[in-house]
Amino acid sequence: MDTLVDIRRLKKHFPILGGVLRRPVGAVKAVDGVSLAIKRGQWLGLVGESGCGKTTLAKTLIRLWKPTSGHIYFDVPDVVKAEIEMLESQDKNGSKLNSLLKENDLGTFSSSRVRSFHRRAQLVHQDPFTSLNPRMKIKNIVAEPLKIHHVLSGHAVETAVEELLDKVGLSSGQLERYPHQFSGGQRQRIAIARALATKPEFIAFDEPTSALDVSVQAQILNLLKDLKREFGLTYLYITHELLIAESVCDYIAVMYVGKVVEMGKPEEIFHTPRHPYSQSLIAATPVPDPTRRVGRIVLPGEVPSPANPPPGCHFNPRCSRASDECREFEPELKLISNDHYVACFYPL
Ligand SMILES: Nc1ncnc2c1ncn2[C@@H]1O[C@H](COP(=O)(O)OP(=O)(O)OP(=O)(O)O)[C@@H](O)[C@H]1O
Ligand SMILES: [Mg+2]
C-alpha cells in the first residue's frame, strides 16, 4: 500500500493574546510536532482524551487551518519527500527546496489550490446539525460542493444528488426537506453524502457517531465500511469510543497533549499497549454494555494545558514510571516492532 497522507513534524499553535494591545503572550500548542502516515485504503483511528488536539490535527491536515510549521503531503511520491528532507538537512539549496515545498506541501498552498485540494479530501463533523445549513434544502446542501468545485451543472447535479442520497440510504423523496426534519443518524448520512459529492479519495471523520444511539452508530459504521470498499476510500477517524476504534480501524494513533505517543495495529494497541498513557486509557475504557453509551474517557490526574505543557514527556506528571530523564527530555516516536511505534523511554 502506498502512502496517501503523510504529515511530518506538524504543529498548530494558537496565539494567546493579552494586555490592552492584544499582543501574543503565549500559545496553545494544540498540535505540537506530529508525524503520521496514512496508507491508501487505510482506516486510521485517532484516539485520546478531550482537548489533546485531535480536531485541530484533522482540520490542519486537511488545510481548513494553516499549520504553524511542518509539512503535509497528500499523494506525493516518496522520492520527492526524501529529496525535501535531504535538502532540509543540508540547510542549503534554498530555491530548489522552496519550489519543491511550494509544489508539494499542502501547508504552503494558496487558497485557490487548497480549494481544489478539497475535491480530493473532505471532513465530516461530529454534529451535522451545526455543520448543515438549517435554511437550505437537502438537495442544495448535497449539491453545494458540486457547484463550488464546478464538477457538474444543470440537470446532471440533480441526478448526482439523487444517486448520492441513494448511496447513503436516503430516498429522493426527501430532497425538498430541511435538516431539522431528519433524525440525528439521517443528518449524519446527509453530511456523508455531501462529503462524497466530489468523489474524494480521503475523508476525515471527527467523532461522526458519538452523538448517536448505539444502534444508529452501528448503521453509520456499516455505511462507512460499505462506502470505503465501494469507492476505495482512505479514512481518518477520530473517536473517544475505543471499542469502535478497535472494531473498525486498521491502524490506531494515540494522542496526548498535542503529540502522538503510540501508533500500531488495533490488536497491539488494545491488547499490548506499550505507552503508559495508552495503557491507562485502555484500562479506563468502560466494559461493553449495549444499554448505555460509552462516555468520554476520564483518567485520574489533570491533563496538562497545551498552553503550558510540562517539560520532558508530557505524560510524566501522571506516569507512575516517570524518571528524571522523562522530566527533562521529550521521547521521540520509535519503532519497537512491526509497524508499532512508541514515544516512551521505558515502554512497558
Ligand atoms: N480556534 C482555537 N483557538 C484557540 N485554541 C484552540 C482553538 N481550537 C482548539 N483550541 C485549543 O486547542 C486544544 C486542542 O483542542 P481540540 O479541539 O483539537 O481537542 P480535541 O482532542 O479535538 O478535543 P475533544 O475530544 O474535546 O473534541 C484545546 O486546548 C483547545 O482549547
Ligand atoms: Mg475534537
Side-chain angles (χ1 to χ4, degrees), residues 49-56 59 126 206-207 238 240 296:
E49 282 168 289
S50 188
C52 70
K54 304 180 296 295
T55 298
T56 307
K59 287 191 171 171
Q126 172 178 0
D206 192 355
E207 305 201 46
I238 296 173
H240 274 89
R296 302 232 139 189

Side-chain angles (χ1 to χ4, degrees), residues 43 168 185 188-189 192 205 207-210 212-229 235 237-239 241-249:
W43 187 330
V168 299
Q188 201 53 291
R189 287 174 191 268
I192 294 166
F205 297 93
E207 305 201 46
T209 64
S210 44
L212 305 174
D213 289 341
V214 174
S215 61
V216 184
Q217 271 186 357
Q219 291 164 10
I220 297 286
L221 287 169
N222 281 334
L223 172 66
L224 297 187
K225 276 186 210 165
D226 292 344
L227 295 171
K228 184 171 175 296
R229 200 174 317 119
Y235 289 165
Y237 192 88
I238 296 173
T239 182
E241 281 133 311
L242 300 187
L243 297 168
I244 290 184
E246 184 179 10
S247 66
V248 297
C249 299

